[in-house]
Amino acid sequence: MESLGSAVADAFGLVLSGDPALMEIIGLSLRVTLSAVVLACLFGLPIGAAAGAFRFPGRTALAVVLNALMGLPPVVVGLGVYLTLSASGPLGVLGLLYTPTAMVIAQTILVTPIVAALTRQVIEDLNSEYAEQFASLGVRGTDRVGALLWDARYSLLTVALAGFGRAIAEVGAVIIVGGNINHVTRVMTTTIALETSKGNLSLALALGVVLLAIAFIVNALAMAVRASAARSAYA
């Protein structure tokens, strides 16, 4: 095992030099995560908006389920996707197991409830605030949902960033369905776990630095979005 000092020096050397292996892992991580977040928003935003804007039988139960699924264990999701995509599973014929697509599916399942639950809360609060105005103007159905989504666009962007932060840090589900195969499904979190167990601390630390940088960037963007929303509200 490397000494800590040399491992840290080598880690920053890998990052600053743009090591090709490091860049490949980072690139795959970002592609998988961004794909999952886009899909999660496509599914989660309409579900959350409908649950927040309309009253229907089972609405409370749906809210409870969405909130509960925010804490869905990643390894359980990974196991479910694995069983579905394995050779003996219902979708085994597609041959998606141990591919980036399988990792996208697992991350999408994990992030969608987060997006839906947070969207529901945002839209519900906004709908209560505008209820009388909507009633006086006769705004109903999809027009009301569209107006709420547009007015909440800054908050919803923060929701998407929260989903991105959850997905980029995922390890349990993606290692089960991706297999951590070099040059195929090896992403930042799974590589950190593998290289640490092997004693290759320089690569693990380099990827850890990149993950921390991404976390800071995501939080900075979220704060910037909130600040922009506040300025727009008082403009």
Side-chain angles (χ1 to χ4, degrees):
M1 181 179 289
E2 303 170 84
S3 68
L4 181 58
S6 63
V8 171
D10 290 344
F12 279 98
L14 289 172
V15 174
L16 296 176
S17 66
D19 180 73
L22 183 73
M23 294 300 107
E24 179 186 19
I25 294 169
I26 295 171
L28 179 60
S29 299
L30 292 176
R31 289 196 301 274
V32 168
T33 298
L34 288 172
S35 298
V37 171
V38 169
L39 289 173
C41 289
L42 289 176
F43 295 129
L45 287 176
I47 294 172
F54 301 119
R55 297 190 178 277
F56 50 86
R59 178 174 178 265
T60 301
L62 176 60
V64 171
V65 169
L66 291 176
N67 288 334
L69 290 179
M70 290 179 69
L72 196 60
V75 290
V76 174
V77 172
L79 178 60
V81 175
Y82 176 89
L83 293 174
T84 302
L85 300 180
S86 64
S88 58
L91 299 181
V93 67
L94 299 178
L96 296 178
L97 193 61
Y98 301 137
T99 67
T101 301
M103 299 161 69
V104 171
I105 292 171
Q107 285 195 357
T108 300
I109 294 172
L110 283 169
V111 175
T112 296
I114 297 173
V115 172
L118 296 178
T119 299
R120 182 201 63 79
Q121 189 60 60
V122 169
I123 297 300
E124 184 176 352
D125 293 343
L126 205 57
N127 187 50
S128 299
E129 182 180 343
Y130 290 162
E132 293 184 3
Q133 186 175 358
F134 284 150
S136 65
L137 295 174
V139 179
R140 298 181 182 277
T142 55
D143 290 336
R144 180 171 58 171
V145 173
L148 290 171
L149 288 173
W150 175 253
D151 199 64
R153 60 192 182 278
Y154 293 111
S155 296
L156 295 179
L157 182 55
T158 302
V159 168
L161 290 173
F164 178 86
R166 174 68 180 84
I168 195 71
E170 173 49 34
V171 58
V174 296
I175 202 170
I176 292 174
V177 302
N180 200 24
I181 303 170
N182 196 22
H183 304 300
V184 180
T185 58
R186 189 162 292 178
V187 293
M188 287 190 283
T189 50
T190 61
T191 304
I192 289 173
L194 174 66
E195 298 302 326
T196 300
S197 67
K198 290 166 55 179
N200 183 9
L201 296 182
S202 57
L203 181 56
L205 283 171
L207 291 169
V209 168
V210 173
L211 271 176
L212 284 174
I214 290 173
F216 279 117
I217 291 171
V218 169
N219 278 279
L221 286 173
M223 291 181 65
V225 167
R226 292 192 192 100
S228 180
R231 288 195 298 270
S232 297
Y234 292 103

